[in-house]
Amino acid sequence: MKKGGKELILDAARVVIARNGVNNASVQAIVDEAGISKGAFYYHYKGKDYILYDMIDQFLRAAIKPVKQSFYESGDIGKIKDSLIESIYQRLDNTEHNKLQFYLTHEALLGDDEIHDKFAKKYNGWVDTGEELMKKMYDVPPSRLNRALAATAIAAIDGQVIQILLEAEVVSIDDLICLWKILIDKGIPALLQYLHDDPEGLVGE
């Protein structure tokens, strides 16, 4: 095999899922497409859900990579904001990967503890990144609720993805992106400042 085992399996899984849909993408169909034995498959993966997790992880890592590059390499706030908006757009606009993510989230909630733990760790990492970005972009002293704000922003994107997947036609992706630009430029820094100042003592110690 010219490609590594995992890469070959992931490529085959993408072909099978595109052809049969995620529910009908059996391990047998994937190994047949990859031209490998089941033994070779199970050497790399415990089952189909673990392939799906790696597929999702690859997509999300690729989407966030420009943000991290602009954050760690250039430090230019304008570039960080632009790459963040592009990352959000990719997240909202990639229907197939979003379907995979919510299919797998459903499986995790039904009792796949290992996948559940992988997602929990992943979400904690996303919130960590969100906190870092806010600190870098807005230079506002931290408050107790900065992490809650980062978690809420990520949850909002997930909720928008669900609306898009359901074809609820609540609002266009372009309008969502327009709102995210306003939030990133004006809304989030104002809220961060409020959380820091807490003029009425609403946040508490």
Side-chain angles (χ1 to χ4, degrees), residues 9-21 33 55:
I9 292 167
L10 287 169
D11 285 350
R14 291 185 185 97
V15 172
V16 172
I17 289 170
R19 184 172 63 225
N20 301 339
E33 181 67 33
M55 291 170 66

Side-chain angles (χ1 to χ4, degrees), residues 117-135:
D117 290 347
K118 282 178 176 286
F119 268 122
K121 184 177 180 181
K122 182 63 66 177
Y123 269 99
N124 269 283
W126 291 335
V127 174
D128 289 344
T129 300
E131 281 191 286
E132 286 186 69
L133 284 170
M134 289 191 300
K135 183 178 179 181

Side-chain angles (χ1 to χ4, degrees), residues 3-203:
K3 291 186 176 181
K6 279 194 171 185
E7 187 179 357
L8 187 67
I9 292 167
L10 287 169
D11 285 350
R14 291 185 185 97
V15 172
V16 172
I17 289 170
R19 184 172 63 225
N20 301 339
V22 64
N23 289 315
N24 296 318
S26 65
V27 169
Q28 186 62 57
I30 293 169
V31 299
D32 289 346
E33 181 67 33
I36 61 174
S37 67
K38 278 192 174 180
F41 174 91
Y42 286 115
Y43 176 80
H44 294 287
Y45 287 106
K46 290 183 178 180
K48 182 178 75 174
D49 285 353
Y50 296 85
I51 302 174
L52 300 182
Y53 180 85
D54 273 3
M55 291 170 66
I56 294 164
D57 192 44
Q58 283 186 355
F59 166 70
L60 294 174
R61 283 176 183 272
I64 200 67
K65 185 177 179 180
V67 181
K68 290 189 172 182
Q69 284 180 331
S70 60
F71 181 88
Y72 291 112
E73 294 175 11
S74 75
D76 183 278
I77 302 304
K79 289 182 179 179
I80 294 173
K81 289 182 178 181
D82 289 344
S83 59
L84 182 57
I85 288 294
E86 179 60 28
S87 177
I88 294 172
Y89 183 86
Q90 287 185 42
R91 176 77 166 86
L92 296 177
D93 196 45
N94 199 308
T95 301
E96 293 309 313
H97 277 282
N98 290 334
K99 285 180 179 179
L100 291 181
Q101 180 173 341
F102 284 105
Y103 167 86
L104 199 54
T105 302
H106 178 257
E107 294 299 300
L109 291 173
L110 287 178
D112 190 323
D113 291 339
E114 189 169 345
I115 294 293
H116 179 281
D117 290 347
K118 282 178 176 286
F119 268 122
K121 184 177 180 181
K122 182 63 66 177
Y123 269 99
N124 269 283
W126 291 335
V127 174
D128 289 344
T129 300
E131 281 191 286
E132 286 186 69
L133 284 170
M134 289 191 300
K135 183 178 179 181
K136 177 73 172 181
M137 291 164 63
Y138 304 119
D139 193 28
V140 175
S143 80
R144 182 170 62 87
L145 296 183
N146 280 24
R147 187 168 181 81
L149 178 56
T152 299
I154 292 168
I157 294 171
D158 280 347
Q160 290 170 350
V161 166
I162 291 173
Q163 291 176 2
I164 293 166
L165 289 177
L166 291 173
E167 299 179 349
E169 298 182 354
V170 174
V171 66
S172 70
I173 292 178
D174 286 343
D175 282 350
L176 290 175
I177 292 299
C178 183
L179 180 61
W180 276 109
K181 288 179 179 178
I182 295 169
L183 287 172
I184 289 169
D185 283 337
K186 305 294 183 182
I188 292 175
L191 183 53
L192 284 169
Q193 189 64 57
Y194 177 82
L195 291 175
H196 171 64
D197 295 341
D198 190 21
E200 299 178 17
L202 297 177
V203 176

